[in-house]
């Protein structure tokens, strides 16, 4: 049985946390304590978000641009996959050893193909990197960047969030998994690339990690996808009167709730879309819950399960 686990940004860095490396290692180690027991029964692929980390990489690049070369966003995503892959890999290896499970772990730098004609490129919405003043925003606009006023005040660069079309390294990941290796892949939704002619080329965009994870799960014929975030279950009327947590629903019901507007675009929406995509392309089951409840949820005793 092959299980793809998509780890939310919150499992590694919560909003209230000091965003340093020690804190991230501590949180990652905690998440791995919950995930490691699953390695006894399942083949595993772990994917993860990278919001705060890629933001910090872009900030460094910008602040140091007089001394060191600047990084385009696609290279920054690649860097975040290295930084975070290293951390997850080490925490997982330590935990496997502690539990006496003999499995090796390997991070795969993952490129994800998008279309240059994706409508998202005409309407960039995803904020990335540093906050700017009005004057800086004007200068950057002059250089061709799309800068928008941020909800938290100030200005930020916004980039497209195009739909993932193909995971370039899917076959490499599949081979690792088949030989018993736990793969860490698709970090931050993958390094965005497109195909001019027959080549691959990086492009500045941010791919949703849940949608990329569902596509990877499909391409490697995973059985189950698990989305680990900071809520125990999915709810309808979330945070409103009439809120009701869901235990088990069909993909059809999930689609209906989605159409009724229960799952917002920036958070639960992509997770439900990812679940529906995976189930309609051969996946058996999707579970959405917190890392602490992962083991229980696989037994059907926690979390929200979405079935075909
Ligand atoms: P991650 O970093 O794990 O991808 P997100 O912040 O993108 O996390 O999404 C998880 C968040 O979605 C939860 O913290 C919760 O506040 C929010 N959310 C929005 N709608 C719902 C819903 N209908 N049911 C449960 N959580 C929801
Ligand atoms: Mg998210």
């Amino acid at each position: 049985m092959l299980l793809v686990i998509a780890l939310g940004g919150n499992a590694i860095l919560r909003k209230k946390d000091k965003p340093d490396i020690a804190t991230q290692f501590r949180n990652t180690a905690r998440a791995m304590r919950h995930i490691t027991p699953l390695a006894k029964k399942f083949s595993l692929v772990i994917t993860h978000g990278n919001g705060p980390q890629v933001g910090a990489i872009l900030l460094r690049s910008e602040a140091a641009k007089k001394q060191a070369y600047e990084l385009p966003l696609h290279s920054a995503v690649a860097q975040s996959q290295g930084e975070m892959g290293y951390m997850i890999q080490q925490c997982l290896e330590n935990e496997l050893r502690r539990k006496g499970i003999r499995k090796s772990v390997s991070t795969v730098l993952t490129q994800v193909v998008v279309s240059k004609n994706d409508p998202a490129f005409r309407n960039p919405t995803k904020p990335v990197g540093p906050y700017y003043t009005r004057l800086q925003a004007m200068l950057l606009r002059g250089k061709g960047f799309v800068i928008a006023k941020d909800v938290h005040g100030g200005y930020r660069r916004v980039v497209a969030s195009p739909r993932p079309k193909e995971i370039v390294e899917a076959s490499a990941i599949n081979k690792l998994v088949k030989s018993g290796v736990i793969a860490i892949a698709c970090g931050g939704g993958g390094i965005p690339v497109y195909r001019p002619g027959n080549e691959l080329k990086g492009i500045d965009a941010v791919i949703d990690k849940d949608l990329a994870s569902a596509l990877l799960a499909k391409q490697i014929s995973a059985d189950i996808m698990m989305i680990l975030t900071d809520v125990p279950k999915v709810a309808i009327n979330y945070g409103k009167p009439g809120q009701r947590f869901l235990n088990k629903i069909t993909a059809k019901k999930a689609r209906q709730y989605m159409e009724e507007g229960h799952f917002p675009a920036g958070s639960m929406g992509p997770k439900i879309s990812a679940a529906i995509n995976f189930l309609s392309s051969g996946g058996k089951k999707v579970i959405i819950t917190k890392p602490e409840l992962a083991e229980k949820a696989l037994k059907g005793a926690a979390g929200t399960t979405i079935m075909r």
Side-chain angles (χ1 to χ4, degrees), residues 270-294:
K271 298 186 197 312
I272 302 294
S273 297
I276 294 169
N277 291 352
F278 175 60
L279 293 170
S280 68
S281 60
K284 294 191 183 84
K285 197 199 292 196
V286 176
I287 294 167
I288 302 178
T289 191
K290 289 178 161 196
E292 300 86 293
L293 299 171

Short mmCIF file of all heavy atoms in Angstrom, two decimals, residues 270-294:
data_model
loop_
_atom_site.label_atom_id
_atom_site.label_comp_id
_atom_site.label_asym_id
_atom_site.label_seq_id
_atom_site.Cartn_x
_atom_site.Cartn_y
_atom_site.Cartn_z
N PRO A 270 -8.18 24.19 -2.07
CA PRO A 270 -7.27 23.34 -2.83
C PRO A 270 -7.14 21.92 -2.28
O PRO A 270 -6.88 20.99 -3.04
CB PRO A 270 -5.92 24.07 -2.77
CG PRO A 270 -6.08 25.16 -1.77
CD PRO A 270 -7.54 25.43 -1.62
N LYS A 271 -7.32 21.75 -0.97
CA LYS A 271 -7.22 20.41 -0.39
C LYS A 271 -8.38 19.55 -0.88
O LYS A 271 -8.20 18.38 -1.23
CB LYS A 271 -7.24 20.47 1.15
CG LYS A 271 -6.06 21.23 1.72
CD LYS A 271 -6.01 21.15 3.23
CE LYS A 271 -5.12 22.23 3.83
NZ LYS A 271 -3.80 22.38 3.21
N ILE A 272 -9.58 20.14 -0.92
CA ILE A 272 -10.76 19.39 -1.38
C ILE A 272 -10.65 19.13 -2.89
O ILE A 272 -10.93 18.03 -3.36
CB ILE A 272 -12.06 20.13 -1.02
CG1 ILE A 272 -12.16 20.35 0.51
CG2 ILE A 272 -13.29 19.38 -1.54
CD1 ILE A 272 -12.29 19.10 1.36
N SER A 273 -10.20 20.14 -3.66
CA SER A 273 -9.99 19.92 -5.10
C SER A 273 -8.99 18.81 -5.33
O SER A 273 -9.19 17.94 -6.19
CB SER A 273 -9.44 21.18 -5.79
OG SER A 273 -10.36 22.22 -5.70
N ALA A 274 -7.90 18.83 -4.55
CA ALA A 274 -6.87 17.79 -4.67
C ALA A 274 -7.47 16.42 -4.38
O ALA A 274 -7.22 15.45 -5.10
CB ALA A 274 -5.71 18.08 -3.72
N ALA A 275 -8.30 16.35 -3.34
CA ALA A 275 -8.94 15.09 -2.95
C ALA A 275 -9.81 14.57 -4.10
O ALA A 275 -9.74 13.40 -4.48
CB ALA A 275 -9.77 15.29 -1.69
N ILE A 276 -10.62 15.47 -4.66
CA ILE A 276 -11.53 15.09 -5.75
C ILE A 276 -10.73 14.61 -6.97
O ILE A 276 -11.04 13.58 -7.57
CB ILE A 276 -12.48 16.26 -6.11
CG1 ILE A 276 -13.43 16.55 -4.92
CG2 ILE A 276 -13.28 15.96 -7.39
CD1 ILE A 276 -14.23 17.83 -5.06
N ASN A 277 -9.66 15.35 -7.31
CA ASN A 277 -8.81 14.96 -8.46
C ASN A 277 -8.22 13.57 -8.26
O ASN A 277 -8.26 12.74 -9.18
CB ASN A 277 -7.63 15.93 -8.62
CG ASN A 277 -8.07 17.31 -9.07
OD1 ASN A 277 -9.24 17.53 -9.40
ND2 ASN A 277 -7.15 18.26 -9.06
N PHE A 278 -7.67 13.33 -7.07
CA PHE A 278 -7.01 12.06 -6.81
C PHE A 278 -8.02 10.90 -6.87
O PHE A 278 -7.75 9.86 -7.48
CB PHE A 278 -6.34 12.11 -5.43
CG PHE A 278 -5.72 10.81 -4.98
CD1 PHE A 278 -4.73 10.21 -5.73
CD2 PHE A 278 -6.14 10.19 -3.81
CE1 PHE A 278 -4.15 9.01 -5.32
CE2 PHE A 278 -5.57 9.00 -3.39
CZ PHE A 278 -4.58 8.40 -4.14
N LEU A 279 -9.21 11.10 -6.28
CA LEU A 279 -10.21 10.03 -6.26
C LEU A 279 -10.76 9.74 -7.65
O LEU A 279 -11.07 8.60 -7.98
CB LEU A 279 -11.34 10.37 -5.29
CG LEU A 279 -10.94 10.42 -3.80
CD1 LEU A 279 -12.04 11.01 -2.94
CD2 LEU A 279 -10.56 9.02 -3.30
N SER A 280 -10.84 10.80 -8.48
CA SER A 280 -11.39 10.57 -9.82
C SER A 280 -10.35 9.97 -10.76
O SER A 280 -10.65 9.59 -11.88
CB SER A 280 -11.96 11.87 -10.40
OG SER A 280 -10.89 12.75 -10.65
N SER A 281 -9.09 9.88 -10.30
CA SER A 281 -8.08 9.30 -11.18
C SER A 281 -7.52 8.00 -10.60
O SER A 281 -6.38 7.64 -10.83
CB SER A 281 -6.97 10.31 -11.43
OG SER A 281 -6.36 10.68 -10.22
N GLY A 282 -8.33 7.31 -9.80
CA GLY A 282 -7.95 5.97 -9.34
C GLY A 282 -7.61 5.86 -7.86
O GLY A 282 -7.45 4.75 -7.36
N GLY A 283 -7.46 6.98 -7.17
CA GLY A 283 -7.15 6.92 -5.74
C GLY A 283 -8.29 6.29 -4.95
O GLY A 283 -9.45 6.39 -5.35
N LYS A 284 -7.96 5.63 -3.83
CA LYS A 284 -8.99 4.92 -3.07
C LYS A 284 -9.57 5.77 -1.95
O LYS A 284 -10.75 5.69 -1.64
CB LYS A 284 -8.39 3.66 -2.43
CG LYS A 284 -7.97 2.61 -3.45
CD LYS A 284 -7.64 1.28 -2.76
CE LYS A 284 -7.14 0.26 -3.76
NZ LYS A 284 -5.69 0.39 -4.02
N LYS A 285 -8.70 6.59 -1.32
CA LYS A 285 -9.14 7.25 -0.10
C LYS A 285 -8.30 8.50 0.14
O LYS A 285 -7.10 8.50 -0.12
CB LYS A 285 -8.91 6.26 1.04
CG LYS A 285 -9.67 6.59 2.31
CD LYS A 285 -9.14 5.93 3.55
CE LYS A 285 -9.23 4.47 3.76
NZ LYS A 285 -9.02 4.02 5.12
N VAL A 286 -8.94 9.56 0.65
CA VAL A 286 -8.21 10.75 1.07
C VAL A 286 -8.58 11.04 2.52
O VAL A 286 -9.76 10.97 2.88
CB VAL A 286 -8.56 11.97 0.18
CG1 VAL A 286 -7.86 13.23 0.70
CG2 VAL A 286 -8.17 11.71 -1.28
N ILE A 287 -7.57 11.34 3.32
CA ILE A 287 -7.82 11.68 4.73
C ILE A 287 -7.27 13.08 4.98
O ILE A 287 -6.15 13.40 4.58
CB ILE A 287 -7.12 10.67 5.67
CG1 ILE A 287 -7.75 9.28 5.51
CG2 ILE A 287 -7.21 11.13 7.12
CD1 ILE A 287 -6.96 8.17 6.15
N ILE A 288 -8.08 13.91 5.62
CA ILE A 288 -7.62 15.25 6.01
C ILE A 288 -7.69 15.34 7.53
O ILE A 288 -8.77 15.16 8.12
CB ILE A 288 -8.46 16.36 5.36
CG1 ILE A 288 -8.41 16.21 3.82
CG2 ILE A 288 -7.96 17.75 5.78
CD1 ILE A 288 -9.26 17.22 3.05
N THR A 289 -6.55 15.61 8.18
CA THR A 289 -6.52 15.72 9.64
C THR A 289 -5.22 16.37 10.10
O THR A 289 -4.48 16.94 9.30
CB THR A 289 -6.74 14.33 10.30
OG1 THR A 289 -6.97 14.51 11.69
CG2 THR A 289 -5.55 13.40 10.10
N LYS A 290 -4.93 16.28 11.40
CA LYS A 290 -3.69 16.81 11.97
C LYS A 290 -2.64 15.71 12.06
O LYS A 290 -3.02 14.54 12.22
CB LYS A 290 -3.93 17.22 13.43
CG LYS A 290 -4.76 18.42 13.66
CD LYS A 290 -4.84 18.55 15.18
CE LYS A 290 -5.25 19.93 15.56
NZ LYS A 290 -5.02 20.25 16.92
N PRO A 291 -1.36 16.03 12.09
CA PRO A 291 -0.33 14.98 12.21
C PRO A 291 -0.54 14.08 13.43
O PRO A 291 -0.38 12.86 13.33
CB PRO A 291 0.98 15.78 12.36
CG PRO A 291 0.71 17.11 11.73
CD PRO A 291 -0.75 17.37 11.93
N GLU A 292 -0.96 14.65 14.57
CA GLU A 292 -1.16 13.86 15.80
C GLU A 292 -2.19 12.75 15.60
O GLU A 292 -2.19 11.76 16.32
CB GLU A 292 -1.69 14.74 16.95
CG GLU A 292 -0.83 15.89 17.38
CD GLU A 292 -1.06 17.15 16.55
OE1 GLU A 292 -0.72 17.12 15.35
OE2 GLU A 292 -1.53 18.15 17.11
N LEU A 293 -3.12 12.98 14.67
CA LEU A 293 -4.23 12.04 14.52
C LEU A 293 -4.06 11.11 13.31
O LEU A 293 -4.96 10.33 13.00
CB LEU A 293 -5.55 12.83 14.39
CG LEU A 293 -5.90 13.70 15.61
CD1 LEU A 293 -7.08 14.61 15.31
CD2 LEU A 293 -6.20 12.81 16.82
N ALA A 294 -2.90 11.18 12.66
CA ALA A 294 -2.70 10.44 11.40
C ALA A 294 -2.97 8.94 11.57
O ALA A 294 -3.71 8.33 10.78
CB ALA A 294 -1.29 10.68 10.87
#
